[in-house]
């Protein structure tokens, strides 16, 4: 189960939405195992039942109980041998972690960090109260209050990178970066450097993720061959170019990909493509 929650106005410049995720082992043939696609967002996660482990490029990744992760540029897998895995998550806007905590996001790309590093080492009071609370919505409220406390009197000031991200999202990732920098009247070299610092990946990589996610959200679950039409609509050079992105982001080629095996991807990237918000 994957449920989203709205964000209070003061935090909206930084955060897209909160969510609660609950996966149970009884719903899987063996252990819990779900594939996650790159989303164009950073995340802060608070696990309260069970513990996830991560896998990327066939290598297991250490996942702290409370962790923060930046941009992912390739598919990764979450898995667990616990009976139930539950967590509260915060989906940050592309520059949200940078604006809120001053993190150099390039250091968080494709890697996790213990959230104590950004929230402060002493989370004892929060953790005790959070673990005791049984109501999901109340847990979300507690996480929001924790972040509001971190924000204090900080004022959000958008930069040209935020404007660029809006432009890239409006074009569904189909507008070339050179056109974006031309419209903003900034040098491409400076734009590349600042974008990577604030978002964590290059502008072209982010653009590709946005384009792929928009295309993927229109994937016809009844006709998995409809990607041939979508390739043309989303300005891919050819099928080979699309297949390369597909394998990078989904872990398999289009021909080998069977959506019914990917319950979370089907729910959160197609039926209700929340990461496009």
């Amino acid at each position: 189960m994957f449920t989203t929650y709205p964000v209070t106005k003061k935090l909206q410049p930084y955060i897209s939405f909160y969510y609660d995720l609950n996966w149970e082992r009884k719903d899987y043939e063996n252990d819990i195992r779900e594939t996650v696609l790159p989303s164009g967002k950073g995340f802060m996660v608070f696990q309260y039942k069970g513990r996830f482990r991560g896998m990327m490029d066939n290598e297991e990744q250490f996942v702290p109980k409370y962790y923060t992760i930046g941009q992912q540029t390739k598919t990764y897998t979450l898995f667990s041998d616990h009976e139930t895995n539950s967590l509260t998550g915060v989906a940050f806007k592309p520059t949200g972690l940078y604006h809120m905590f001053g993190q150099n996001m390039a250091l968080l790309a494709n890697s996790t960090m213990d959230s104590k590093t950004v929230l402060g080492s002493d989370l004892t009071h929060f953790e005790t109260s959070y673990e005791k609370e049984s109501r999901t919505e109340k847990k979300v409220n507690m996480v929001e209050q924790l972040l509001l406390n971190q924000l204090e009197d900080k004022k959000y000031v958008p930069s040209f990178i935020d404007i660029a991200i809006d432009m890239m999202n409006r074009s569904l990732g189909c507008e070339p970066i050179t056109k974006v920098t031309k419209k903003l009247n900034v040098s491409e070299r400076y734009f590349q450097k600042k974008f990577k610092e604030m978002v964590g990946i290059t502008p072209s990589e982010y653009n590709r993720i946005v384009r792929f996610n928009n295309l993927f959200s229109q994937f016809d679950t009844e006709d998995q061959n409809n990607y041939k039409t979508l390739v043309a609509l989303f300005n891919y050079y050819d099928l080979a170019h699309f297949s390369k992105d597909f394998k990078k982001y989904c872990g398999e080629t289009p021909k080998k990909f069977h959506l019914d095996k990917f319950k979370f991807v089907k729910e959160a990237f197609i039926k209700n493509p929340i990461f496009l918000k």
Side-chain angles (χ1 to χ4, degrees), residues 146-249:
L146 178 68
L147 294 174
L148 282 169
N149 293 342
Q150 294 288 321
L151 191 61
E152 295 179 336
D153 295 326
K154 185 176 293 184
K155 302 293 183 183
Y156 173 75
V157 181
S159 76
F160 69 95
I161 298 297
D162 297 292
I163 297 170
I165 288 169
D166 285 342
M167 292 167 62
M168 295 155 83
N169 288 331
R170 284 198 302 271
S171 76
L172 308 183
C174 294
E175 186 166 72
I177 299 302
T178 50
K179 286 191 176 182
V180 174
T181 54
K182 188 174 182 180
K183 288 179 180 178
L184 292 173
N185 195 28
V186 295
S187 75
E188 192 165 343
R189 183 177 179 181
Y190 179 63
F191 179 73
Q192 295 274 351
K193 179 182 177 181
K194 198 64 182 176
F195 195 98
K196 194 166 185 179
E197 177 188 352
M198 294 180 68
V199 180
I201 55 179
T202 65
S204 58
E205 184 66 80
Y206 178 80
N207 218 26
R208 286 172 66 189
I209 291 170
V210 170
R211 176 172 64 170
F212 185 83
N213 281 346
N214 276 283
L215 180 155
F216 197 76
S217 71
Q218 297 185 36
F219 204 55
D220 187 345
T221 56
E222 302 299 323
D223 177 16
Q224 293 197 193
N225 289 320
N226 78 318
Y227 64 80
K228 293 179 181 179
T229 301
L230 295 175
V231 164
L233 289 175
F234 283 87
N235 295 344
Y236 275 93
Y237 300 131
D238 50 34
L239 280 173
H241 183 207
F242 167 73
S243 294
K244 184 178 179 181
D245 272 6
F246 197 100
K247 186 171 184 180
K248 180 178 182 180
Y249 299 143

Side-chain angles (χ1 to χ4, degrees), residues 2-17:
F2 189 83
T3 308
T4 60
Y5 297 87
V7 180
T8 192
K9 186 176 181 180
K10 191 173 182 180
L11 287 170
Q12 286 175 7
Y14 311 92
I15 299 169
S16 294
F17 57 87

Side-chain angles (χ1 to χ4, degrees), residues 5 26 31 40 42 48 50 92 102 106 110-111 113 122 130 169 181 203 205 213 218 265 276:
Y5 297 87
K26 65 181 177 62
D31 294 340
Y48 60 89
F92 281 87
N110 294 315
S111 64
M113 174 178 68
D122 187 10
Y130 177 77
N169 288 331
T181 54
E205 184 66 80
N213 281 346
Q218 297 185 36
V265 168
L276 297 179

Side-chain angles (χ1 to χ4, degrees), residues 50-115:
R51 290 289 293 274
F52 277 119
R53 289 139 68 195
M55 183 76 72
M56 183 178 285
D57 290 335
N58 295 317
E59 291 186 7
E60 186 168 338
Q61 307 285 322
F62 172 67
V63 181
K65 183 178 180 181
Y66 297 166
Y67 67 89
T68 300
I69 185 169
Q71 294 282 340
Q72 302 92 56
T73 61
K74 58 190 80 174
T75 184
Y76 65 99
T77 302
L78 291 175
F79 61 98
S80 173
D81 53 8
H82 289 264
E83 292 300 320
T84 301
N85 276 76
S86 302
L87 58 83
T88 303
V90 183
F92 281 87
K93 293 185 176 180
T95 61
L97 283 164
Y98 174 88
H99 281 302
M100 196 165 182
F101 299 104
Q103 290 291 313
N104 182 340
M105 294 307 297
L107 302 177
L108 275 178
N110 294 315
S111 64
T112 58
M113 174 178 68
D114 194 315
S115 292

